[in-house]
Amino acid sequence: MNEVDRYLAEVSPEQREQLERLRSIVKRIVPDASEGISYGVPTFRLNGMLCSFAAFRNHCSFFPGKAPIVACANELKNWKTSAGTVRFTLTDPLPDELIERMVKLCVARNESKGKR
């Protein structure tokens, strides 16, 4: 069992289901990304930190960074956001298409960093 699997084993089954869905979307879009734990939460890396996710008492969070949240602001208006973070609940999860779009923006951001 790797670090991320151990993390997910510790959260509620309902949260685990949502976070595994998010994890599978990232893996599908970015199969070459490595995953591990950074700052205590599951994190994907590809040309630097790509995105992270976590479970909290009353919500889950997706951490794509500031630029994807700004770019998707209209689609995210139904969820609480802050600089780099989107909060969602089990009763109001993020749609797959929105996660996909933000992950692709994360990849583009990291690729552009590498080309500077």
Side-chain angles (χ1 to χ4, degrees):
M1 183 181 287
N2 70 32
E3 297 174 300
V4 174
D5 292 329
R6 279 194 292 279
Y7 177 94
L8 292 170
E10 297 292 321
V11 303
S12 75
E14 297 81 12
Q15 287 178 314
R16 185 177 316 116
E17 181 181 337
Q18 287 299 316
L19 296 179
E20 284 285 9
R21 180 178 63 87
L22 197 153
R23 182 186 190 193
S24 69
I25 291 168
V26 176
K27 285 181 168 186
R28 179 172 40 81
I29 293 171
V30 197
D32 295 335
S34 63
E35 65 176 346
I37 300 291
S38 182
Y39 295 99
V41 300
T43 301
F44 285 93
R45 296 182 149 289
L46 184 70
N47 302 317
M49 197 287 280
L50 193 64
C51 60
S52 302
F53 59 86
F56 296 95
R57 179 181 234 181
N58 296 315
H59 70 278
C60 292
S61 288
F62 178 48
F63 307 102
K66 183 178 179 179
I69 290 174
V70 170
C72 298
N74 285 338
E75 295 124 304
L76 288 167
K77 59 186 166 199
N78 294 327
W79 293 273
K80 288 185 180 183
T81 62
S82 60
T85 305
V86 180
R87 288 180 165 193
F88 60 96
T89 63
L90 300 176
T91 57
D92 194 17
L94 295 172
D96 290 5
E97 302 79 27
L98 184 52
I99 296 168
E100 290 171 7
R101 181 164 179 231
M102 287 190 288
V103 170
K104 289 175 183 176
L105 289 166
C106 291
V107 171
R109 173 197 61 215
N110 284 14
E111 285 176 349
S112 72
K113 282 183 190 175
K115 293 177 182 175
R116 289 184 199 164

